[in-house]
Amino acid sequence: MSTDETAVRDTAEATPPGGPRARNDRPGRRHLLRGASWAAPALAVSVAAPAVAASPHDIAYGISFDGGGGANGYFNSAYLNLGWATGTQPAGTVLTLTEPLVLIIDVVGLNTAARDERSMEFGSSDGAIVRRTYNQATRTTTLVWTIPVGRRIPVNGTAPANPDVLFTFRDGASSTSGAGRITDKIVVRSVTGGRITEALSTNGPIPANLPIDSSVVKDYDRRAVSPDGIY
């Protein structure tokens, strides 16, 4: 493959009803998380055109949502993981990015009565995350996740080697009178530098087209407290 290509092959917190809050923490699974910038503007990312028709811009990637360790609307966390789509590369292949891979991700509030944004944090040791201004009309917080050149990407999964974003949702009690609790879902809207064709569900990999909605795909770990893709 040409070095102009995108990738090359390398081989409250309140306590929920019924008990104390649960959390989907896995100590040691991720490290050196870089917190999202709450004031910085969205990145303008330029990606070079493919050098040949069979460019890795056409490489198929897959994602998985791995959360639901807490009750919906209470303290909760979830990972969004990325890897190459199952069956599209020889077993054991690791892709190395030679250009950035950029994902646009929405966190969408599901409580239509709430006018406030739920408190939440985002972090990744696999590149930069920029948070755009909250859109009250659509109850949406948009993130731009840029995975840098040189990042190695294995098959789609939830292993420590997979690039990921950690979403930490704080207590969802709304400050809007009578609104109750805010719950959220995660939606992957677009990708630049490749394409996403797969989501990893509790039943294994399934075909998926953008946008990919966590409340539709559900969380990968069916043993979680609430693996419904809503947080």
Side-chain angles (χ1 to χ4, degrees), residues 103-231:
L103 283 77
I104 305 298
I105 305 162
D106 286 345
V107 179
V108 183
L110 301 178
N111 186 338
T112 58
R115 295 190 298 272
D116 52 320
E117 180 184 18
R118 184 179 181 180
S119 178
M120 62 188 82
E121 298 173 359
F122 320 97
S124 178
S125 57
D126 303 298
I129 299 176
V130 173
R131 177 187 184 275
R132 293 177 177 170
T133 302
Y134 177 65
N135 186 326
Q136 188 181 76
T138 61
R139 306 178 307 281
T140 299
T141 301
T142 298
L143 309 177
V144 181
W145 179 27
T146 303
I147 306 174
V149 170
R151 182 59 168 92
R152 292 162 60 86
I153 301 180
V155 66
N156 189 21
T158 60
N162 287 89
D164 64 20
V165 176
L166 171 62
F167 298 78
T168 303
F169 296 95
R170 303 300 180 184
D171 184 64
S174 174
S175 62
T176 304
S177 178
R181 292 190 171 275
I182 301 172
T183 58
D184 296 89
K185 65 180 182 179
I186 302 168
V187 181
V188 179
R189 293 288 180 191
S190 69
V191 60
T192 302
R195 56 195 176 95
I196 295 178
T197 63
E198 175 187 88
L200 196 62
S201 72
T202 55
N203 296 318
I206 58 174
N209 296 314
L210 294 171
I212 301 177
D213 186 323
S214 66
S215 68
V216 175
V217 174
K218 314 300 183 185
D219 291 294
Y220 176 68
D221 186 1
R222 69 179 67 194
R223 299 167 300 175
V225 173
S226 181
D228 57 2
I230 298 174
Y231 310 106

Side-chain angles (χ1 to χ4, degrees), residues 2 4-8 47-48 55-57 61 96-101 193-194:
S2 164
D4 292 329
E5 296 174 337
T6 307
V8 295
V47 178
S55 167
H57 279 254
Y61 293 98
T96 300
L97 294 181
T98 60
E99 293 178 6
L101 190 65

